[in-house]
Amino acid sequence: MIPISKVDVGEEAERLVLEVLRSGRLAQGPMVERLEHSFTKVAGTEFAVAVSSGTVALVASLQALELGPGVEVVTSPFTFAATLNAILEAGATAKFADIGEDFTIDPERLAEAIGPRTRVIMPVHLYGLPADMEVIERFAMDNGASIVEDAAQAIGAQVERRPIGSFGLGCFSLYATKNVTTGEGGVVTTNDSMIDDRLRLLRGQGMRDRYRYEIPGHNYRMTEVQAAIGIPQLERLEEITRRRQENADLLTEGLSGLEGVLSPVVPRGRTHVFHQYTLRITAGARVGRDQAVRELRGLGIACGIYYPRVVFDYDCYRTHPRVIAGSMPKAELAARQVLSLPVYPALSESDVGRTIEAVRLVFGA
Ligand SMILES: *Cc1c(COP(=O)(O)O)cnc(C)c1O
C-alpha cells in the first residue's frame, strides 16, 4: 500500500535530538531559537515565534491583535476545522467568503463578505497553493483589516516571489503530516516588532521578566526536542519542496486526457508547494469520487478527501452564535469532487508510476 503521507525527518535530526536529550535542557531554549531563526529565512520576515501547534499559532495571532468584542474574521469555508476553531477560541465571529477554482478564497466573494466589523482577513493557502495575496493585501489595506495567513499547508510557497507568511501574521503548522514536521508544533512569522513582543508574552504566561506579568497569558511553548526534529528539515526545505513539485508534475503529465478528471492548476505568479496533490472528479468522470477512492484503495493507493464537508457544516458550528454560515456553492462542490493522491518526497518514481497506472485504470474509458 502506498500511504497518503510519510514522515521522513532524516539522520541529522537523530543527532540533534540526542544532543538535546543529553544537554539536560528540554523546555524552550537555544534549539527553539535556532528554529525561529531558520523560519525568518523561510518566510522572509524579521521575526518568528515558535509555539506548540499550528492551531495555537492561529489563536495566539488573533490574541496578539487584541480584537475587541463583536469583531469578525473573514476566512475560507474550505479548510481544516482548526482555522474556524481558532477564530472561535479567540472570541471572534467567523464569517466566510466562498472559494474560487483554485480552492482558495475568491477575491470577489471576499469583497462582498468584508463588513464594518471585519478586523481580520484569514486566507488559507490550501494544499500548498497560496491564496491571491496581492489582491487580499489591497482589500486589507483599504478596509483597515489585518491579515492572518493560515499557512499551515504552505511552508516555502511564494506569491510574485514574496514568501507567504510575510503578508501579515503567518501561521505555520509543523504537525506530523505537514511538509516540515516536528510531530506537533507551530510558528508565527511577522515583521511587526510589537506583535512579536506580544506573541512572546502570550506564549509564556504573559511574563516579561521572572514573575513580572504584563498580560494574562498562556503556555504556548515548543520544546527543544521538537525544534531539534525540525531544524534539519528547514535546511533541506528547497529539496523537500522540489521533490513534491516533481512528483506533482509527473502525476499531472501521467493523468492528462482522463475524461472528467482535473489536475491542480497553479495560477500565474504563485508557487505551489504541493502539501497535497488534489484532483477534481467532475460529473464527466467514468466513476464517481467515492467509488474511485474505494477502487484506488483496492489497488494499493491510499487517497485522501480534504475535506468532505464545508468547514462549518456540522451541528456544533451551525448552531454556534458566532458562526455566520452562508451559502457556499463552490466550497460545497469542491467537497464533493476533491481526491488527493500521495505526493510526499520519499515516493519513488515507480510509486508515482503505479499511482498513475491505478488512476488511469479506474477512470480510463
Ligand atoms: C494542520 C492545519 C492547521 C492546524 O495545525 P496543527 O498543527 O494541527 O494544530 C490549521 N489549518 C490548516 C489549513 C491545517 O492544515
Side-chain angles (χ1 to χ4, degrees):
M1 192 83 181
I2 300 177
I4 187 69
S5 69
K6 195 167 176 178
V7 175
D8 177 19
V9 297
E11 276 177 32
E12 176 66 5
E14 294 179 17
R15 198 187 62 75
L16 277 190
V17 167
L18 204 57
E19 190 182 314
V20 167
L21 295 179
R22 288 173 176 165
S23 76
R25 170 133 200 188
L26 302 185
Q28 184 184 294
M31 283 290 174
V32 170
E33 256 179 62
R34 259 178 78 182
L35 178 119
E36 290 177 336
H37 182 71
S38 293
F39 250 90
T40 61
K41 302 278 178 264
V42 169
T45 54
E46 213 165 325
F47 309 103
V49 182
V51 293
S52 48
S53 75
T55 309
V56 162
L58 291 165
V59 171
S61 293
L62 293 172
Q63 289 172 336
L65 289 169
E66 300 179 90
L67 309 173
V71 159
E72 285 169 7
V73 177
V74 180
T75 191
S76 167
F78 198 51
T79 182
F80 182 51
T83 316
L84 175 51
N85 285 337
I87 295 169
L88 298 176
E89 171 79 18
T93 295
K95 204 173 178 186
F96 301 91
D98 206 358
I99 56 170
E101 288 303 310
D102 66 358
F103 302 114
T104 73
I105 215 161
D106 179 342
E108 281 185 43
R109 300 288 87 78
L110 179 60
E112 293 163 3
I114 293 173
R117 291 169 199 263
T118 304
R119 279 251 349 249
V120 178
I121 301 172
M122 187 182 277
V124 181
H125 307 312
L126 200 72
Y127 306 144
L129 178 71
D132 191 347
M133 291 313 297
E134 292 196 308
V135 177
I136 291 169
E137 192 172 44
R138 201 164 64 236
F139 283 175
M141 212 97 87
D142 292 349
N143 291 280
S146 301
I147 294 174
V148 176
E149 299 172 67
D150 184 336
Q153 302 187 358
I155 185 169
Q158 300 187 344
V159 180
E160 300 293 351
R161 295 177 192 276
R162 273 175 72 189
I164 55 112
S166 67
F167 289 85
L169 284 77
C171 300
F172 295 86
S173 167
L174 301 171
Y175 178 65
T177 57
K178 300 289 155 75
N179 289 19
V180 169
T181 182
T182 58
E184 299 277 4
V187 174
V188 183
T189 53
T190 177
N191 281 314
D192 185 331
S193 61
M194 304 255 285
I195 294 287
D196 172 70
D197 183 61
R198 227 178 148 72
L199 286 167
R200 287 171 194 281
L201 282 176
L202 284 165
R203 177 174 69 177
Q205 308 291 359
M207 192 166 77
R208 173 75 63 193
D209 310 304
R210 204 168 179 68
Y211 304 134
R212 188 158 69 85
Y213 302 98
E214 282 189 13
I215 52 172
H218 209 292
N219 174 359
Y220 292 151
R221 292 182 300 271
M222 175 183 276
T223 68
E224 289 287 271
V225 174
Q226 285 169 285
I229 295 169
I231 288 164
Q233 291 169 70
L234 291 168
E235 283 163 6
R236 294 188 275 118
L237 181 59
E238 280 182 25
E239 183 200 330
I240 288 170
T241 303
R242 193 176 59 247
R243 293 279 306 131
R244 285 180 176 272
Q245 290 166 335
E246 284 167 1
N247 291 339
D249 286 346
L250 287 174
L251 287 167
T252 295
E253 200 180 298
L255 298 176
S256 68
L258 283 176
E259 193 83 30
V261 177
L262 307 183
S263 288
V265 284
V266 184
R268 191 192 299 276
R270 299 187 231 172
T271 61
H272 196 319
V273 297
F274 287 100
H275 173 58
Q276 299 293 347
Y277 180 91
T278 304
L279 299 170
R280 272 188 196 264
I281 312 304
T282 69
R286 202 181 66 114
V287 290
R289 194 267 313 264
D290 294 344
Q291 176 66 21
V293 170
R294 285 191 290 273
E295 289 187 20
L296 283 168
R297 281 189 186 140
L299 292 166
I301 313 295
C303 21
I305 308 291
Y306 311 109
Y307 296 91
R309 289 163 89 154
V310 169
V311 71
F312 55 72
D313 191 19
Y314 299 86
D315 283 345
C316 61
Y317 299 124
R318 288 257 182 221
T319 60
H320 197 289
R322 286 187 283 112
V323 173
I324 303 176
S327 158
M328 302 287 145
K330 289 280 180 59
E332 280 160 26
L333 182 65
R336 290 194 299 271
Q337 291 185 332
V338 291
L339 188 165
S340 298
L341 296 172
V343 73
Y344 55 85
L347 277 179
S348 66
E349 225 177 294
S350 86
D351 291 335
V352 179
R354 256 186 67 201
T355 304
I356 291 168
E357 234 173 88
V359 178
R360 294 203 75 91
L361 195 68
V362 169
F363 289 105

